[in-house]
Amino acid sequence: MLFQNLRDEIDATLVRDPAARSRLEVVLCYPGFQALLYFRLAHWLWQRRWYLSGRFVSHCGRVMTGIEIHPGARIGRRLFIDHGMGVVIGETAEIGDDCTLYQGVTLGGTSLERGQKRHPTLGNGVIVSSGAQVLGPFRVGDGARIGAQAVVLREVPDGATMVGIPARPVGRGASAKTEPTFEPYAITGEIPDPIARPLTALLDEVAALRARVAELERERGAASAAEPPPEPIRPRVARANP
Ligand SMILES: CC(C)(COP(=O)(O)OP(=O)(O)OC[C@H]1O[C@@H](n2cnc3c(N)ncnc32)[C@H](O)[C@@H]1OP(=O)(O)O)[C@@H](O)C(=O)NCCC(=O)NCCS
């Protein structure tokens, strides 16, 4: 059905935005939700090869909401686009279930190859923070978080947090998070410092080496106590010629 899952999307907005108070408020005042309505219709037209109509509906959605979603994109269930202004989702982009996008996000391409996949694929439960650019036909793993203003140019593993330009991973790896859960604004406070981690490993190594040196010194001390004292070294006296 064309507008199936809309109730789920309204509820997803209520769950993920503490500012949302009622379903009616979501329907009337949330451009992210309204953009999805336009997208569903545009995508329906696009799938039936009514390309121009699809593009036109998509364009109307852009004018009304400031969110541009190409009708050819594939979007899973319960997508939440918060604020939304400036969001661009390209033609071959794919978005899994329970994803969240903030304002200014681009799911864009880096090539001009017609008919090829040019845009990223987001797994389930991915959060893309405000202003982030995800560019290219790679996958962003389930539960990954993209930091504000990051520029992501390569595949992102499940559960990773990426920040910076170009984006680099910080903090938790894939194993740390199996079930994606929503964290408002992607904040957890669990990210260890990427420099502190190797430093901590080095300090552990130094402590282990110190313990080994102390042990060797003890063994040496015990061995030398058991042995007779070495003869004192006498200085050689040069013999005079007869
Ligand atoms: C990336 C993000 C998810 C990480 O949040 P967090 O779990 O609290 O992580 P921390 O703040 O502890 O940051 C960990 C490290 O990453 C760096 N970092 C965090 N966010 C960054 C960003 N967007 N760009 C560059 N570096 C960033 C921090 O400086 C810190 O580095 P340091 O240890 O060298 O000081 C978060 O910072 C973020 O960008 N959230 C988006 C929020 C958003 O878009 N809100 C819009 C509301 S309208």
Side-chain angles (χ1 to χ4, degrees), residues 67-133:
I67 296 168
E68 182 172 332
I69 309 177
H70 193 285
R74 291 167 181 273
I75 295 183
R77 302 175 65 179
R78 297 177 295 276
L79 172 64
F80 174 43
I81 304 176
D82 200 4
H83 309 292
M85 185 62 78
V87 167
V88 176
I89 299 174
E91 179 183 2
T92 59
E94 294 166 69
I95 299 179
D97 295 337
D98 301 301
C99 290
T100 303
L101 310 181
Y102 289 97
Q103 67 274 16
V105 164
T106 304
L107 303 183
T110 51
S111 87
L112 301 176
E113 294 286 319
R114 218 178 264 270
Q116 303 274 338
K117 179 160 172 66
R118 308 186 304 282
H119 306 93
T121 295
L122 307 190
N124 297 325
V126 172
I127 299 172
V128 188
S129 303
S130 54
Q133 314 294 304

